[in-house]
Short mmCIF file of all heavy atoms in Angstrom, two decimals:
data_model
loop_
_atom_site.label_atom_id
_atom_site.label_comp_id
_atom_site.label_asym_id
_atom_site.label_seq_id
_atom_site.Cartn_x
_atom_site.Cartn_y
_atom_site.Cartn_z
N GLN A 891 60.83 103.76 87.18
CA GLN A 891 60.00 103.67 88.38
C GLN A 891 58.58 104.15 88.14
O GLN A 891 57.63 103.58 88.66
CB GLN A 891 60.65 104.48 89.51
CG GLN A 891 61.90 103.79 90.03
CD GLN A 891 62.44 104.45 91.26
OE1 GLN A 891 61.66 104.86 92.13
NE2 GLN A 891 63.76 104.58 91.34
N ILE A 892 58.46 105.23 87.34
CA ILE A 892 57.12 105.74 87.07
C ILE A 892 56.31 104.73 86.27
O ILE A 892 55.15 104.46 86.56
CB ILE A 892 57.20 107.11 86.34
CG1 ILE A 892 57.69 108.15 87.33
CG2 ILE A 892 55.84 107.51 85.78
CD1 ILE A 892 58.06 109.46 86.72
N ILE A 893 56.97 104.10 85.28
CA ILE A 893 56.26 103.07 84.48
C ILE A 893 55.82 101.93 85.40
O ILE A 893 54.67 101.48 85.36
CB ILE A 893 57.16 102.55 83.36
CG1 ILE A 893 57.41 103.65 82.33
CG2 ILE A 893 56.51 101.33 82.68
CD1 ILE A 893 58.42 103.28 81.27
N ALA A 894 56.73 101.49 86.26
CA ALA A 894 56.40 100.40 87.16
C ALA A 894 55.23 100.78 88.04
O ALA A 894 54.31 99.97 88.28
CB ALA A 894 57.61 100.03 88.01
N LEU A 895 55.24 102.03 88.52
CA LEU A 895 54.16 102.48 89.39
C LEU A 895 52.83 102.45 88.65
O LEU A 895 51.82 101.97 89.17
CB LEU A 895 54.46 103.90 89.89
CG LEU A 895 53.44 104.48 90.86
CD1 LEU A 895 53.52 103.72 92.17
CD2 LEU A 895 53.67 105.96 91.10
N ILE A 896 52.85 102.95 87.39
CA ILE A 896 51.61 102.97 86.61
C ILE A 896 51.09 101.56 86.39
O ILE A 896 49.92 101.27 86.58
CB ILE A 896 51.84 103.67 85.25
CG1 ILE A 896 52.11 105.17 85.50
CG2 ILE A 896 50.64 103.51 84.34
CD1 ILE A 896 52.55 105.93 84.28
N VAL A 897 52.02 100.66 86.04
CA VAL A 897 51.61 99.28 85.81
C VAL A 897 51.02 98.67 87.07
O VAL A 897 49.96 98.06 87.06
CB VAL A 897 52.79 98.43 85.28
CG1 VAL A 897 52.42 96.96 85.26
CG2 VAL A 897 53.21 98.90 83.90
N ALA A 898 51.73 98.89 88.18
CA ALA A 898 51.26 98.30 89.44
C ALA A 898 49.88 98.85 89.79
O ALA A 898 48.98 98.10 90.18
CB ALA A 898 52.24 98.60 90.56
N LEU A 899 49.71 100.16 89.64
CA LEU A 899 48.42 100.76 89.97
C LEU A 899 47.32 100.22 89.07
O LEU A 899 46.22 99.94 89.51
CB LEU A 899 48.49 102.28 89.83
CG LEU A 899 49.13 103.02 91.01
CD1 LEU A 899 49.12 104.51 90.77
CD2 LEU A 899 48.39 102.70 92.31
N SER A 900 47.67 100.04 87.76
CA SER A 900 46.60 99.54 86.88
C SER A 900 46.23 98.10 87.20
O SER A 900 45.09 97.71 87.07
CB SER A 900 46.96 99.70 85.39
OG SER A 900 48.31 99.42 85.22
N VAL A 901 47.23 97.32 87.68
CA VAL A 901 46.91 95.96 88.10
C VAL A 901 45.94 96.01 89.28
O VAL A 901 44.91 95.32 89.31
CB VAL A 901 48.19 95.18 88.48
CG1 VAL A 901 47.81 93.88 89.18
CG2 VAL A 901 49.00 94.89 87.24
N VAL A 902 46.25 96.90 90.27
CA VAL A 902 45.37 97.01 91.42
C VAL A 902 43.97 97.44 90.98
O VAL A 902 42.97 96.87 91.39
CB VAL A 902 45.96 98.03 92.44
CG1 VAL A 902 44.93 98.34 93.53
CG2 VAL A 902 47.22 97.48 93.04
N MET A 903 43.93 98.46 90.09
CA MET A 903 42.64 98.93 89.60
C MET A 903 41.86 97.80 88.91
O MET A 903 40.66 97.66 89.08
CB MET A 903 42.82 100.09 88.59
CG MET A 903 43.33 101.38 89.17
SD MET A 903 42.27 102.02 90.46
CE MET A 903 40.88 102.53 89.48
N MET A 904 42.63 97.01 88.15
CA MET A 904 41.97 95.94 87.41
C MET A 904 41.37 94.92 88.39
O MET A 904 40.24 94.46 88.22
CB MET A 904 43.00 95.24 86.52
CG MET A 904 42.45 94.71 85.23
SD MET A 904 43.67 93.83 84.29
CE MET A 904 44.99 94.98 84.16
N LEU A 905 42.14 94.62 89.45
CA LEU A 905 41.65 93.66 90.44
C LEU A 905 40.40 94.20 91.11
O LEU A 905 39.41 93.49 91.30
CB LEU A 905 42.72 93.35 91.48
CG LEU A 905 43.87 92.48 90.98
CD1 LEU A 905 44.94 92.36 92.06
CD2 LEU A 905 43.36 91.10 90.63
N ILE A 906 40.45 95.50 91.49
CA ILE A 906 39.29 96.09 92.16
C ILE A 906 38.09 96.09 91.22
O ILE A 906 36.97 95.69 91.58
CB ILE A 906 39.61 97.52 92.64
CG1 ILE A 906 40.65 97.47 93.76
CG2 ILE A 906 38.34 98.22 93.13
CD1 ILE A 906 41.12 98.83 94.23
N GLY A 907 38.35 96.51 89.95
CA GLY A 907 37.26 96.54 88.97
C GLY A 907 36.66 95.16 88.78
O GLY A 907 35.44 94.99 88.75
N ASN A 908 37.55 94.17 88.73
CA ASN A 908 37.11 92.77 88.58
C ASN A 908 36.21 92.37 89.73
O ASN A 908 35.14 91.78 89.55
CB ASN A 908 38.36 91.89 88.53
CG ASN A 908 38.03 90.46 88.26
OD1 ASN A 908 37.67 89.75 89.17
ND2 ASN A 908 38.12 90.05 87.02
N ALA A 909 36.65 92.71 90.97
CA ALA A 909 35.85 92.36 92.15
C ALA A 909 34.50 93.03 92.09
O ALA A 909 33.46 92.40 92.33
CB ALA A 909 36.60 92.74 93.41
N VAL A 910 34.50 94.35 91.78
CA VAL A 910 33.24 95.09 91.74
C VAL A 910 32.29 94.48 90.69
O VAL A 910 31.12 94.25 90.94
CB VAL A 910 33.51 96.58 91.40
CG1 VAL A 910 32.21 97.31 91.07
CG2 VAL A 910 34.22 97.26 92.56
N GLU A 911 32.88 94.17 89.51
CA GLU A 911 32.08 93.60 88.43
C GLU A 911 31.47 92.26 88.84
O GLU A 911 30.28 92.01 88.65
CB GLU A 911 33.04 93.38 87.24
CG GLU A 911 32.37 93.22 85.89
CD GLU A 911 33.44 93.08 84.83
OE1 GLU A 911 34.19 94.06 84.61
OE2 GLU A 911 33.54 92.00 84.25
N ASN A 912 32.31 91.42 89.46
CA ASN A 912 31.81 90.10 89.88
C ASN A 912 30.73 90.23 90.95
O ASN A 912 29.77 89.48 90.95
CB ASN A 912 32.95 89.23 90.38
CG ASN A 912 33.75 88.68 89.24
OD1 ASN A 912 33.26 88.62 88.12
ND2 ASN A 912 34.98 88.33 89.49
N LEU A 913 30.95 91.18 91.89
CA LEU A 913 29.94 91.38 92.93
C LEU A 913 28.64 91.83 92.29
O LEU A 913 27.56 91.39 92.67
CB LEU A 913 30.41 92.43 93.93
CG LEU A 913 31.41 91.95 94.98
CD1 LEU A 913 31.90 93.09 95.83
CD2 LEU A 913 30.81 90.88 95.86
N GLU A 914 28.74 92.72 91.29
CA GLU A 914 27.55 93.20 90.59
C GLU A 914 26.85 92.06 89.88
O GLU A 914 25.63 91.93 89.93
CB GLU A 914 27.93 94.28 89.59
CG GLU A 914 27.45 95.66 90.00
CD GLU A 914 28.10 96.74 89.16
OE1 GLU A 914 28.29 96.50 87.94
OE2 GLU A 914 28.42 97.80 89.71
N ALA A 915 27.66 91.20 89.23
CA ALA A 915 27.08 90.07 88.52
C ALA A 915 26.30 89.16 89.49
O ALA A 915 25.31 88.55 89.12
CB ALA A 915 28.18 89.27 87.83
N LEU A 916 26.81 89.09 90.72
CA LEU A 916 26.11 88.28 91.73
C LEU A 916 24.96 89.05 92.35
O LEU A 916 24.23 88.52 93.17
CB LEU A 916 27.08 87.87 92.83
CG LEU A 916 28.05 86.74 92.52
CD1 LEU A 916 29.10 86.64 93.62
CD2 LEU A 916 27.32 85.44 92.38
N GLY A 917 24.83 90.32 91.99
CA GLY A 917 23.77 91.14 92.55
C GLY A 917 24.06 91.61 93.96
O GLY A 917 23.17 91.91 94.74
N LYS A 918 25.35 91.65 94.34
CA LYS A 918 25.70 92.10 95.69
C LYS A 918 26.30 93.49 95.63
O LYS A 918 26.96 93.85 94.68
CB LYS A 918 26.76 91.16 96.30
CG LYS A 918 26.21 89.80 96.66
CD LYS A 918 27.31 89.01 97.32
CE LYS A 918 26.78 87.68 97.85
NZ LYS A 918 27.81 86.92 98.52
N ASP A 919 26.04 94.29 96.66
CA ASP A 919 26.68 95.59 96.73
C ASP A 919 27.82 95.50 97.72
O ASP A 919 28.11 94.45 98.28
CB ASP A 919 25.67 96.67 97.13
CG ASP A 919 25.02 96.37 98.47
OD1 ASP A 919 25.12 95.19 98.89
OD2 ASP A 919 24.44 97.27 99.06
N PHE A 920 28.48 96.64 97.91
CA PHE A 920 29.64 96.66 98.81
C PHE A 920 29.37 97.70 99.86
O PHE A 920 29.50 98.89 99.61
CB PHE A 920 30.89 97.00 97.99
CG PHE A 920 32.14 96.94 98.77
CD1 PHE A 920 32.78 95.73 98.98
CD2 PHE A 920 32.70 98.09 99.31
CE1 PHE A 920 33.94 95.65 99.70
CE2 PHE A 920 33.87 98.01 100.03
CZ PHE A 920 34.50 96.80 100.23
N ASN A 921 28.88 97.29 101.03
CA ASN A 921 28.75 98.26 102.12
C ASN A 921 28.86 97.59 103.46
O ASN A 921 28.73 96.38 103.59
CB ASN A 921 27.45 99.08 101.97
CG ASN A 921 26.23 98.35 102.47
OD1 ASN A 921 26.14 98.03 103.64
ND2 ASN A 921 25.31 98.07 101.57
N PHE A 922 29.13 98.42 104.46
CA PHE A 922 29.41 97.89 105.79
C PHE A 922 28.22 98.02 106.73
O PHE A 922 28.35 97.92 107.93
CB PHE A 922 30.64 98.58 106.37
CG PHE A 922 31.92 98.16 105.69
CD1 PHE A 922 32.40 98.89 104.61
CD2 PHE A 922 32.59 97.03 106.09
CE1 PHE A 922 33.56 98.50 103.97
CE2 PHE A 922 33.74 96.64 105.45
CZ PHE A 922 34.23 97.36 104.39
N GLY A 923 27.04 98.29 106.16
CA GLY A 923 25.85 98.47 106.99
C GLY A 923 25.51 97.27 107.84
O GLY A 923 24.95 97.40 108.93
N PHE A 924 25.93 96.08 107.38
CA PHE A 924 25.58 94.86 108.14
C PHE A 924 26.18 94.87 109.53
O PHE A 924 25.70 94.18 110.43
CB PHE A 924 26.08 93.64 107.37
CG PHE A 924 27.57 93.49 107.34
CD1 PHE A 924 28.21 92.70 108.26
CD2 PHE A 924 28.32 94.16 106.41
CE1 PHE A 924 29.60 92.57 108.25
CE2 PHE A 924 29.70 94.05 106.37
CZ PHE A 924 30.33 93.25 107.31
N LEU A 925 27.23 95.67 109.73
CA LEU A 925 27.88 95.69 111.04
C LEU A 925 26.95 96.16 112.16
O LEU A 925 27.17 95.86 113.32
CB LEU A 925 29.12 96.61 111.00
CG LEU A 925 30.32 96.05 110.23
CD1 LEU A 925 31.40 97.11 110.13
CD2 LEU A 925 30.85 94.83 110.94
N TYR A 926 25.90 96.91 111.78
CA TYR A 926 25.01 97.45 112.80
C TYR A 926 23.77 96.61 113.02
O TYR A 926 22.94 96.89 113.86
CB TYR A 926 24.64 98.91 112.46
CG TYR A 926 25.86 99.77 112.41
CD1 TYR A 926 26.44 100.10 111.19
CD2 TYR A 926 26.46 100.21 113.58
CE1 TYR A 926 27.61 100.83 111.15
CE2 TYR A 926 27.61 100.95 113.56
CZ TYR A 926 28.19 101.27 112.33
OH TYR A 926 29.35 101.99 112.30
N GLU A 927 23.65 95.53 112.22
CA GLU A 927 22.50 94.63 112.44
C GLU A 927 22.81 93.70 113.60
O GLU A 927 23.96 93.40 113.88
CB GLU A 927 22.25 93.82 111.15
CG GLU A 927 21.57 94.63 110.08
CD GLU A 927 21.76 94.02 108.71
OE1 GLU A 927 21.99 92.80 108.63
OE2 GLU A 927 21.69 94.78 107.73
N PRO A 928 21.76 93.21 114.28
CA PRO A 928 21.99 92.31 115.41
C PRO A 928 22.72 91.04 114.95
O PRO A 928 22.40 90.49 113.90
CB PRO A 928 20.58 91.97 115.88
CG PRO A 928 19.68 92.95 115.26
CD PRO A 928 20.34 93.47 114.06
N ALA A 929 23.72 90.63 115.76
CA ALA A 929 24.51 89.49 115.37
C ALA A 929 23.71 88.19 115.45
O ALA A 929 23.80 87.35 114.58
CB ALA A 929 25.76 89.40 116.25
N GLY A 930 22.92 88.02 116.52
CA GLY A 930 22.07 86.86 116.60
C GLY A 930 22.74 85.60 117.13
O GLY A 930 22.08 84.59 117.28
N TYR A 931 24.02 85.65 117.42
CA TYR A 931 24.68 84.45 117.95
C TYR A 931 25.38 84.77 119.27
O TYR A 931 25.67 85.94 119.54
CB TYR A 931 25.65 83.86 116.96
CG TYR A 931 26.79 84.75 116.49
CD1 TYR A 931 27.98 84.77 117.16
CD2 TYR A 931 26.64 85.55 115.35
CE1 TYR A 931 29.03 85.58 116.73
CE2 TYR A 931 27.67 86.36 114.92
CZ TYR A 931 28.87 86.37 115.60
OH TYR A 931 29.90 87.16 115.17
N ASP A 932 25.61 83.74 120.06
CA ASP A 932 26.27 83.96 121.34
C ASP A 932 27.73 83.53 121.27
O ASP A 932 28.11 82.75 120.41
CB ASP A 932 25.55 83.14 122.42
CG ASP A 932 24.20 83.73 122.74
OD1 ASP A 932 24.15 84.75 123.45
OD2 ASP A 932 23.20 83.19 122.25
N ILE A 933 28.51 84.07 122.19
CA ILE A 933 29.94 83.80 122.20
C ILE A 933 30.32 83.28 123.58
O ILE A 933 29.83 83.78 124.59
CB ILE A 933 30.74 85.07 121.85
CG1 ILE A 933 30.38 85.58 120.44
CG2 ILE A 933 32.22 84.82 121.94
CD1 ILE A 933 31.05 86.84 120.03
N GLY A 934 31.17 82.25 123.61
CA GLY A 934 31.51 81.60 124.86
C GLY A 934 32.28 82.47 125.82
O GLY A 934 31.93 82.60 127.00
N GLN A 935 33.37 83.07 125.34
CA GLN A 935 34.22 83.86 126.23
C GLN A 935 34.17 85.32 125.79
O GLN A 935 34.60 85.66 124.70
CB GLN A 935 35.66 83.34 126.12
CG GLN A 935 36.65 84.10 126.93
CD GLN A 935 37.26 83.26 128.03
OE1 GLN A 935 37.34 82.06 127.93
NE2 GLN A 935 37.67 83.91 129.10
N VAL A 936 33.61 86.18 126.65
CA VAL A 936 33.51 87.59 126.28
C VAL A 936 34.16 88.46 127.36
O VAL A 936 34.04 88.16 128.54
CB VAL A 936 32.05 88.05 126.06
CG1 VAL A 936 31.47 87.41 124.83
CG2 VAL A 936 31.20 87.76 127.26
N LEU A 937 34.79 89.53 126.93
CA LEU A 937 35.44 90.43 127.87
C LEU A 937 34.63 91.71 128.06
O LEU A 937 34.83 92.45 129.01
CB LEU A 937 36.84 90.80 127.37
CG LEU A 937 37.84 89.65 127.33
CD1 LEU A 937 39.13 90.12 126.66
CD2 LEU A 937 38.13 89.14 128.72
N VAL A 938 33.73 91.99 127.13
CA VAL A 938 32.84 93.15 127.29
C VAL A 938 31.40 92.66 127.24
O VAL A 938 31.15 91.54 126.84
CB VAL A 938 33.07 94.20 126.15
CG1 VAL A 938 34.37 94.92 126.36
CG2 VAL A 938 32.99 93.55 124.81
N ASP A 939 30.47 93.51 127.64
CA ASP A 939 29.07 93.13 127.62
C ASP A 939 28.66 92.76 126.20
O ASP A 939 28.78 93.58 125.29
CB ASP A 939 28.19 94.29 128.09
CG ASP A 939 28.08 94.26 129.61
OD1 ASP A 939 28.33 93.17 130.18
OD2 ASP A 939 27.79 95.28 130.20
N TYR A 940 28.15 91.59 126.03
CA TYR A 940 27.73 91.16 124.69
C TYR A 940 26.57 90.21 124.82
O TYR A 940 26.61 89.27 125.62
CB TYR A 940 28.89 90.50 123.94
CG TYR A 940 28.46 89.88 122.65
CD1 TYR A 940 28.38 90.64 121.50
CD2 TYR A 940 28.09 88.53 122.58
CE1 TYR A 940 27.96 90.08 120.30
CE2 TYR A 940 27.68 87.97 121.40
CZ TYR A 940 27.61 88.74 120.27
OH TYR A 940 27.18 88.18 119.09
N THR A 941 25.54 90.45 124.06
CA THR A 941 24.45 89.48 123.95
C THR A 941 24.18 89.26 122.48
O THR A 941 24.71 89.99 121.63
CB THR A 941 23.14 89.98 124.59
OG1 THR A 941 22.66 91.08 123.81
CG2 THR A 941 23.35 90.43 126.01
N SER A 942 23.33 88.30 122.19
CA SER A 942 23.09 88.00 120.78
C SER A 942 22.34 89.15 120.11
O SER A 942 22.24 89.19 118.89
CB SER A 942 22.32 86.70 120.63
OG SER A 942 21.12 86.77 121.37
N ALA A 943 21.80 90.11 120.92
CA ALA A 943 21.09 91.24 120.32
C ALA A 943 22.07 92.36 119.92
O ALA A 943 21.69 93.31 119.25
CB ALA A 943 20.05 91.77 121.29
N SER A 944 23.34 92.25 120.36
CA SER A 944 24.32 93.28 119.99
C SER A 944 24.62 93.20 118.50
O SER A 944 24.40 92.18 117.88
CB SER A 944 25.62 93.07 120.77
OG SER A 944 25.36 92.84 122.14
N GLY A 945 25.16 94.30 117.97
CA GLY A 945 25.46 94.34 116.55
C GLY A 945 26.66 93.47 116.19
O GLY A 945 27.42 93.06 117.05
N HIS A 946 26.80 93.26 114.90
CA HIS A 946 27.97 92.47 114.43
C HIS A 946 29.28 93.16 114.79
O HIS A 946 30.28 92.50 115.00
CB HIS A 946 27.88 92.29 112.90
CG HIS A 946 26.95 91.20 112.48
ND1 HIS A 946 27.20 89.88 112.74
CD2 HIS A 946 25.77 91.23 111.82
CE1 HIS A 946 26.22 89.12 112.25
NE2 HIS A 946 25.32 89.92 111.70
N TRP A 947 29.24 94.50 114.86
CA TRP A 947 30.49 95.20 115.19
C TRP A 947 30.92 94.87 116.62
O TRP A 947 32.10 94.74 116.90
CB TRP A 947 30.32 96.72 115.03
CG TRP A 947 29.37 97.34 116.02
CD1 TRP A 947 28.02 97.49 115.88
CD2 TRP A 947 29.69 97.88 117.30
NE1 TRP A 947 27.48 98.07 116.99
CE2 TRP A 947 28.48 98.31 117.89
CE3 TRP A 947 30.89 98.02 118.02
CZ2 TRP A 947 28.44 98.89 119.16
CZ3 TRP A 947 30.85 98.59 119.27
CH2 TRP A 947 29.63 99.02 119.85
N LYS A 948 29.92 94.66 117.49
CA LYS A 948 30.25 94.32 118.88
C LYS A 948 30.85 92.93 118.94
O LYS A 948 31.79 92.67 119.68
CB LYS A 948 28.97 94.39 119.72
CG LYS A 948 29.18 94.40 121.22
CD LYS A 948 29.37 95.80 121.74
CE LYS A 948 29.62 95.85 123.23
NZ LYS A 948 28.42 96.09 124.00
N ALA A 949 30.30 92.03 118.11
CA ALA A 949 30.83 90.67 118.05
C ALA A 949 32.28 90.73 117.56
O ALA A 949 33.15 90.02 118.09
CB ALA A 949 29.99 89.82 117.13
N ALA A 950 32.52 91.59 116.59
CA ALA A 950 33.88 91.75 116.07
C ALA A 950 34.80 92.29 117.15
O ALA A 950 35.95 91.85 117.29
CB ALA A 950 33.89 92.66 114.85
N LEU A 951 34.25 93.22 117.96
CA LEU A 951 35.05 93.80 119.05
C LEU A 951 35.39 92.72 120.08
O LEU A 951 36.54 92.64 120.56
CB LEU A 951 34.26 94.94 119.71
CG LEU A 951 34.96 95.60 120.90
CD1 LEU A 951 36.17 96.40 120.43
CD2 LEU A 951 33.99 96.50 121.65
#
Side-chain angles (χ1 to χ4, degrees):
Chain A
Q891 288 188 40
I892 289 170
I893 293 173
L895 183 69
I896 292 171
V897 171
L899 280 181
S900 38
V901 168
V902 171
M903 291 302 289
M904 213 184 306
L905 286 175
I906 292 176
N908 185 278
V910 169
E911 199 177 295
N912 283 338
L913 281 174
E914 250 168 37
L916 283 170
K918 289 183 174 182
D919 58 343
F920 185 82
N921 80 63
F922 289 92
F924 70 96
L925 287 174
Y926 299 99
E927 284 160 24
Y931 59 90
D932 289 283
I933 299 177
Q935 177 116 26
V936 292
L937 295 173
V938 287
D939 274 339
Y940 171 85
T941 67
S942 56
S944 314
H946 280 292
W947 67 271
K948 194 88 181 265
L951 178 70

